[in-house]
Amino acid sequence: MSTSTIHDIGYRHYDGRRNGRAYVLRSLYVHNLRAAFGLGRPARAKVMPFLLAAIMLLPAAGSVAAFAFTKEPDALFRYASYAVIMQVIVAIFLATQAPVLASREIRFHVIPLYFSRPVGHLDFVLAKGAAMASALFALMAVPVTVLYVGGLVAKMPDSGEQVLKWLGALVGCVLFALVLAAIGMVVAAFTPRRGFGVAAVIAVYMVSAAFVGAVQGIAEAQTNFTLQGWAGLFTPFNLVDIVQVRLLGAQSSSAGVPSGIEGGIVALALCAVIVLGSIAVLYRRFRKAGLS
Amino acid sequence: MPIIATQGLTMRFARVTALDDLSVAVEPGVVGLVGANGAGKSTLIKILLGLLPPTSGTATVLGLDIAREGLRIRESVGFMPEYECLPPDVSATEFVVHMARMCGLPPTAARERAADTLRHVGLYEERYRPIGGYSTGMRQRVKLAQALVHDPKLVFLDEPTNGLDPAGRDEMLDLIRRIGAEFGISVLVTSHLLGELERVCDHVVIIDGGKLLRSQAVEAYTTESGVLTVEVDDGRDTLGQHLHDQGVTVHPEGRFLVVDIAGEQTYDLIRDGVADLGLRLIRMEQRRHHIEEVFQAGPAGPAGPPAPAGAVQPGAVQPGAVQQGAPR
């Protein structure tokens, strides 16, 4: 029997494969998506995202159960309205997790380590934005799918129509995810302290919702329904709901929706401006952080 | 081929000129970059990484142009910043694996290289704990590991000994020497402490106010100077007076006498003087220069004309300057 010894084989050079830009981009995306749910972090980082994800699922599950017992189609939430009904939970998720992705690495000066490697500035921003949007999409699309599958299992009539409504709602979820991620990431990227970041994102959501709510209330009292509809453009959930109602054929779940197809087109254009604008702002923000 | 070459590199910010017409070329090996705080060391590294375009001038790193081939430079160099740059809530392993993947290493290779590199820098079981609980010395090791994990050809180490205690400092310097000698990776290491770099570097570049002060192999800084240190048991002043009377230039310095060497006869005069006065000679040795003198020579020579900083030559050190250098 031989005695085992530890051999110090010294430094070994790496002459294996080095993958290109696509691999780096994918790795960065996966890393950030994991971070959005606290994976690869201590347990306390996982509490908030998974708790919120569970809260998102509860009403959907309850609704499916109610439908299965009563066979009353109204017992099942409308797919497209689920994100709007649960918007407070979605906003809290955005507020707690956007700082994790957008400001944590700025605060701890990790950014220069990326840009001293073969990582492009635009790739970096796109990977982070896509990871945040994907996390939000999963948060909203999973309960919507639970509703759909539950309805299917419990024999919801008009299954062909349900598929279309479900797919329309998923498109709506993509749009919600993109717009919310864009707003949340920008706000968080300019508030390096995490606590402030959470507060700032919540504040932007609350203030815009309250302001628009007030304007819509006054407009409704004055029977000015045009103003009531257009005011909806200025708060994220109502904005995307306008697109859902006018372009994806959903029923309205918001206080005000401008009439006609052009309302939907304006809302969609505004969504695109928000997303592209946030990419431009984040690009500059991270580029600056990379040089500090 | 020089690993780093700059031609007329200038970097101006709104109010300060960080680099002023810097032209320097260094060969592979461990290269020290010395300068006071604000001398432009970190700015130079950012420019060489291709992150900051210089106001004017050109540079190449590993033969690649910083303006056109920045991406290829960043593929083959590593960078350890001066400041804290580690997220506190992930483990060293997780972090270094992630950084390896950011250089394009496939998942398995990234994990293997991360484990290897962390072992080489001296992090063992603690590498599975979150970085937030690490000591400064351990953090510096993680920062070094992330710079080495993708097996670069050149690493930029910005003030790697900052904040370390003397023992940690020695270990870090030893690691830097091993990176150059055993790992075969060229190193550009910055510091504001010359004594440190004298121990690990092959070549030292000194910049001051963004200007090149000196770029030389370490031996050139530490060549023999034109002075002798003489130590006698008692009667230092008697010997000094005796030598002075015979026309020898001599200064007292602590317990020693510092004697300018005028020629072969200087040695004889000292020997005879000691014998005539019946003193006990403890030592007589030719003094070597220290890199520090480059800084002391300019402002500290009240006797000589204040030499322009760039024109200081080894061997031209004023006696007054030597007098200020502590005996080593």
Side-chain angles (χ1 to χ4, degrees):
Chain A
M1 191 182 152
S2 65
T3 31
S4 57
T5 49
I6 296 170
H7 295 284
D8 185 5
I9 45 177
Y11 185 80
R12 284 180 297 171
H13 284 283
Y14 177 74
D15 41 22
R17 198 177 147 70
R18 284 174 202 259
N19 294 321
R21 184 178 160 191
Y23 170 82
V24 173
L25 188 58
R26 199 169 64 240
S27 300
L28 197 52
Y29 168 76
V30 171
H31 178 82
N32 279 293
L33 188 54
R34 283 167 54 86
F37 287 100
L39 302 173
R41 301 270 157 76
R44 69 187 133 79
K46 299 180 179 73
V47 172
M48 219 33 195
F50 280 97
L51 184 68
L52 291 169
I55 294 174
M56 280 297 283
L57 273 169
L58 280 179
S63 164
V64 168
F67 172 69
F69 275 110
T70 61
K71 297 292 174 193
E72 191 70 48
D74 287 347
L76 207 60
F77 284 113
R78 280 182 291 109
Y79 310 136
S81 66
Y82 198 76
V84 181
I85 293 167
M86 300 298 287
Q87 58 175 281
V88 174
I89 306 299
V90 178
I92 293 173
F93 183 89
L94 179 69
T96 55
Q97 301 313 109
V100 174
L101 267 65
S103 63
R104 205 176 60 100
E105 291 184 314
I106 293 179
R107 181 175 167 204
F108 296 110
H109 305 287
V110 190
I111 310 286
L113 298 186
Y114 286 99
F115 296 147
S116 63
R117 292 182 150 73
V119 178
H121 292 92
L122 187 60
D123 287 3
F124 186 78
V125 171
L126 291 179
K128 276 197 180 292
M132 188 72 238
S134 303
L136 286 166
F137 176 74
L139 186 77
M140 293 178 281
V142 169
V144 168
T145 306
V146 165
L147 283 176
Y148 169 68
V149 172
L152 211 61
V153 170
K155 305 266 185 324
M156 183 77 164
D158 300 326
S159 61
E161 194 193 329
Q162 296 298 324
V163 176
L164 288 179
K165 281 186 175 173
W166 171 62
L167 291 175
L170 288 189
V171 174
C173 287
V174 170
L175 211 53
F176 272 118
L178 288 173
V179 170
L180 292 173
I183 297 171
M185 294 287 276
V186 166
V187 174
F190 286 93
T191 41
R193 297 290 298 273
R194 181 162 186 271
F196 291 145
V198 173
V201 175
I202 279 288
V204 167
Y205 162 72
M206 298 281 278
V207 168
S208 72
F211 176 74
V212 169
V215 170
Q216 284 175 330
I218 294 164
E220 190 175 9
Q222 297 177 339
T223 63
N224 186 347
F225 297 111
T226 316
L227 175 64
Q228 188 187 12
W230 289 108
L233 288 174
F234 297 96
T235 184
F237 285 95
N238 200 334
L239 171 70
V240 178
D241 198 43
I242 294 170
V243 181
Q244 289 199 114
V245 171
R246 292 298 170 217
L247 300 182
L248 296 169
Q251 287 181 47
S252 171
S253 354
S254 305
V257 172
S259 57
I261 200 111
E262 61 273 12
I265 290 170
V266 170
L268 186 61
L270 189 56
C271 291
V273 168
I274 289 172
V275 172
L276 294 176
S278 107
I279 290 171
V281 170
L282 288 173
Y283 179 88
R284 295 189 57 171
R285 178 72 185 105
F286 284 118
R287 195 187 172 89
K288 183 163 165 272
L291 286 174
S292 67
Chain B
M1 185 190 73
I3 45 163
I4 298 166
T6 72
Q7 290 91 35
L9 209 56
T10 302
M11 185 73 215
R12 285 196 194 86
F13 293 111
R15 250 171 289 163
V16 287
T17 301
L19 292 177
D20 192 358
D21 197 24
L22 187 72
S23 297
V24 66
V26 292
E27 297 295 318
V30 181
V31 179
L33 178 62
V34 189
N37 292 335
K41 295 173 301 211
S42 299
T43 306
L44 179 60
I45 289 180
K46 277 179 211 156
I47 291 174
L48 293 177
L49 282 166
L51 294 176
L52 202 61
T55 311
S56 65
T58 59
T60 59
V61 175
L62 303 165
L64 301 163
D65 185 86
I66 52 160
R68 287 179 290 109
E69 295 164 296
L71 194 71
R72 289 198 54 208
I73 292 174
R74 293 193 287 276
E75 280 171 1
S76 18
V77 302
F79 171 45
M80 172 180 175
E82 174 185 0
Y83 40 79
E84 280 287 314
C85 58
L86 305 171
D89 54 353
V90 296
S91 69
T93 299
E94 178 112 359
F95 180 70
V96 177
V97 168
H98 175 54
M99 284 298 153
R101 294 181 64 143
M102 289 301 102
C103 296
L105 266 62
T108 318
R111 272 196 297 279
E112 283 172 10
R113 286 281 318 171
D116 267 12
T117 315
L118 285 167
R119 185 168 50 79
H120 279 299
V121 300
L123 273 179
Y124 302 96
E125 289 314 308
E126 56 273 28
R127 67 177 190 262
Y128 301 110
R129 286 197 278 116
I131 296 171
Y134 286 13
S135 67
T136 309
M138 284 156 72
R139 282 163 199 267
Q140 290 298 89
R141 286 162 196 267
V142 180
K143 280 163 65 179
L144 185 59
Q146 65 79 30
L148 293 170
V149 69
H150 54 298
D151 190 28
K153 296 188 180 72
L154 166 69
V155 281
F156 294 109
L157 309 179
D158 201 355
E159 305 271 1
T161 55
N162 236 2
L164 297 179
D165 59 20
R169 203 169 269 265
D170 284 348
E171 282 168 18
M172 180 56 77
L173 290 172
D174 200 49
L175 257 172
I176 294 167
R177 193 174 17 228
R178 281 180 53 209
I179 293 167
E182 280 176 43
F183 301 6
I185 298 171
S186 289
V187 179
L188 180 79
V189 50
T190 76
S191 178
H192 51 266
L193 298 172
L194 280 156
E196 276 184 6
L197 295 185
E198 201 174 295
R199 286 164 50 193
V200 298
C201 294
D202 307 320
H203 190 105
V204 170
V205 176
I206 303 179
I207 59 174
D208 190 29
K211 283 195 174 70
L212 180 69
L213 210 60
R214 199 92 84 74
S215 170
Q216 274 179 336
V218 165
E219 298 86 56
Y221 290 97
T222 54
T223 47
E224 293 176 346
S225 63
V227 291
L228 282 174
T229 304
V230 178
E231 185 179 357
V232 288
D233 201 3
D234 273 321
R236 183 202 71 178
D237 296 335
T238 331
L239 179 63
Q241 188 61 45
H242 179 79
L243 291 173
H244 182 72
D245 292 344
Q246 305 201 19
V248 177
T249 316
V250 62
H251 309 276
E253 182 189 296
R255 302 196 332 275
F256 313 109
L257 286 174
V258 177
V259 183
D260 282 15
I261 303 171
E264 283 295 316
Q265 73 277 13
T266 309
Y267 296 92
D268 299 341
L269 285 171
I270 295 169
R271 180 199 59 201
D272 297 344
V274 170
D276 294 350
L277 294 169
L279 300 172
R280 271 178 294 179
L281 182 64
I282 293 173
R283 68 177 174 142
M284 175 165 81
E285 67 173 10
Q286 195 164 5
R287 178 170 285 191
R288 289 186 171 274
H289 285 292
H290 293 281
I291 303 184
E292 271 93 342
E293 291 165 13
V294 172
F295 286 104
Q296 292 165 351
V312 180
Q313 294 298 319
V317 175
Q318 301 293 324
V322 176
Q323 206 168 353
Q324 306 232 335
R328 266 159 234 255

